[in-house]
Amino acid sequence: MRPLIRPARPEDGAALARVDFATWSPLHAVTERPDAPADPFFDDPRDPREHLVAEEAGELLGYAVVRRPVPLPAFAHVRQIQGLAVREEARGRGIARALLRACVAEARAQEARRLTLRVLAHNAPARALYAAEGFLIEGVLPGEVFVAGTYVDDVLMGMAL
């Protein structure tokens, strides 16, 4: 069964908070490990309209966030993926790839001309997925992020739409 990729709804918040909590890892997180799932998940700046979810048999397996990176008119043509998470037990089934492709489609539907993202340099699986889907490295910020006791490069990737 292929998961359904759909826009998030406000009532998805509790399930998405559990996904977010369960998928926290220093491989991609730039925040401290939370003590519990976020409550509420949707708040300012988290807006359900900017989230896509992967759902199978009524269960949320993952999500992605695609939004304007800067709320200024000069950046209106750009969308940025600001989160992508898939539950451990659902990995290896193409769900992250499906969510990523849905982000590209959503950015195009919003008439964006560019789609960007940031990924930690040590997150090789994510970097490989992004590259395989057409994202190019557009810059590297050396030692930009201090995570899990070490400085990590922040890799900027993007694609023209």
Side-chain angles (χ1 to χ4, degrees), residues 21-152:
F21 180 74
T23 59
W24 184 95
S25 165
L27 190 61
H28 59 80
V30 295
T31 59
E32 295 295 319
R33 178 157 181 74
D35 293 328
D39 183 28
F41 183 79
F42 292 124
D43 59 7
D44 186 31
R46 289 182 173 170
D47 184 334
R49 294 171 295 187
E50 298 172 330
H51 288 66
L52 299 169
V53 299
E55 179 181 37
E56 186 176 78
E59 189 173 358
L60 296 187
L61 304 177
Y63 73 90
V65 182
V66 60
R67 64 170 48 124
R68 288 178 61 176
V70 180
L72 297 172
F75 296 90
H77 65 288
V78 180
R79 294 298 178 276
Q80 186 172 69
I81 297 171
Q82 294 186 355
L84 194 153
V86 175
R87 290 180 11 202
E88 182 74 33
E89 64 273 17
R91 292 183 185 157
R93 297 177 36 207
I95 294 169
R97 186 177 307 275
L99 282 165
L100 186 58
R101 288 177 178 174
C103 288
V104 172
E106 178 62 24
R108 283 186 173 128
Q110 294 178 19
E111 300 182 357
R113 296 178 49 100
R114 287 185 36 76
L115 182 60
T116 65
L117 59 86
R118 298 170 76 156
V119 59
L120 297 178
H122 65 218
N123 192 344
R127 290 179 59 189
L129 171 64
Y130 301 146
E133 290 298 314
F135 285 83
L136 301 174
I137 295 174
E138 297 181 337
V140 177
L141 303 174
E144 183 76 1
V145 183
F146 186 75
V147 62
T150 189
Y151 292 96
V152 179

